[in-house]
Amino acid sequence: MSCPFPSLISPHAAQVDRETLSWLRACRMIDDPAELERYREAAYGYLGARAYPYASYEMLRLVTDWCVWLFAFDDAFCESDRRAAEIARALPQLLVVLDDIDAGIPVENPFARAMRDVMRRVAAAGNADQLDGWRALTKEYLFAQVWEAANREDAVVPLYNDYVFMRRRTGAMPTVFSLIELAAGQTLTPAERRAPGLRAITECANDVVVWDNDLLSYAKEREGVNAGNNLVSVLVRHGDRTTQEAMDQIGRLRDRAVARMLALRSEIAAWGSEGVMAYVRGLEHWVSGSVAYSLTSPRYTRAWKGTAAVAWRGRN
């Protein structure tokens, strides 16, 4: 995976990793001791530290806690055999929290309570527009999970165009990209956020991260309930390709997206906005940081080792 962007890590990585795990435990999103141990081994704090290496300690805690919330939600709802209806029934408490309204619905779901904590910290760190942007993108992510669960339930491998469109939402990257402004201490204007060039480079970064994730997580997912929701599976089923051919094609797609990011960066630099360039650098750190993290985290490497062991036994 080619990556022309700098790969850095925050000096707060170890501390934030410990404290984020403590936050996860305190929020009770995961109670099982064995599962908590897997989260400790996965060291998700190091993903945040690589994706936001420029953030202050307080901001790094915020963005890393949100990333861990997404991993926990993904494991509980998106990589399980939960039916679409179950996820849909969980939405009211989550949406009540995001709308910050008193709808008479007791917020008992631990994911909703943890989300409320994150949302209040986003509100304290940013302005109303930044908060509303994060809320809206998080809602898109949640509704996209119902679509993905329906695919699992009916054993549907989505069509290529449908998958690419929805993967930009199921991957939750817009929600973490929206926190780059807070982490960098910058505020973009509404016109800057809407600018076609900035939207295009954001979409490219989104594609690179989620396509890399599809490649890196395929060994973990290919025998599981969520196997069809992976671009490798989509290209094998609907593109008449072998697994290796599908992986090669994804490699070419992500390399073209990286090249477009570089071209767009040159155009955007001419705007002369330091806030916009800080955001662009934040996208680049996400691309390089997600690759560096995934190549070392047991969340992914354990599955690769297992695959390699099976292949070795097959040759002997």
Side-chain angles (χ1 to χ4, degrees), residues 37-38 45 58 133 135 157 179 206 230 232 246 277 279 282 290 306 309:
E37 176 59 19
R38 284 192 286 273
E58 291 79 10
R135 284 170 164 167
V157 177
L179 298 180
N206 190 345
N230 186 297
V232 177
M277 289 309 298
Y279 175 80
S290 62

Side-chain angles (χ1 to χ4, degrees), residues 264-273 276-277 280:
L264 287 165
R265 188 190 210 281
S266 297
E267 297 175 14
I268 292 169
W271 301 357
S273 169
V276 168
M277 289 309 298
V280 170

Side-chain angles (χ1 to χ4, degrees), residues 128-201:
D129 286 342
Q130 290 168 328
L131 175 62
D132 285 347
W134 178 81
R135 284 170 164 167
L137 294 168
T138 300
K139 288 178 183 179
E140 279 199 13
Y141 162 76
L142 292 171
F143 286 120
Q145 299 313 313
V146 179
W147 172 83
E148 192 172 80
N151 291 339
R152 288 196 301 271
E153 190 173 323
D154 294 336
V156 169
V157 177
L159 296 173
Y160 175 82
N161 287 335
D162 291 349
Y163 181 81
V164 169
F165 178 84
M166 292 302 293
R167 188 69 171 106
R168 291 169 179 158
R169 292 149 181 82
T170 62
M173 296 313 301
T175 75
V176 298
F177 289 167
S178 73
L179 298 180
I180 291 173
E181 289 183 49
L182 303 186
Q186 299 288 340
T187 301
L188 303 188
T189 67
E192 287 172 335
R193 293 192 193 103
R194 291 196 300 269
L198 205 66
R199 288 190 171 187
I201 199 170

Side-chain angles (χ1 to χ4, degrees), residues 30-45:
I30 295 176
D31 285 325
D32 179 60
E35 186 68 7
L36 283 169
E37 176 59 19
R38 284 192 286 273
Y39 269 66
R40 186 194 66 77
E41 292 177 353
Y44 293 118

Side-chain angles (χ1 to χ4, degrees), residues 3-22:
C3 187
F5 309 125
S7 182
L8 305 175
I9 189 165
S10 168
H12 308 298
Q15 180 182 357
V16 167
D17 185 53
R18 291 191 301 270
E19 293 177 354
T20 290
L21 184 66
S22 297

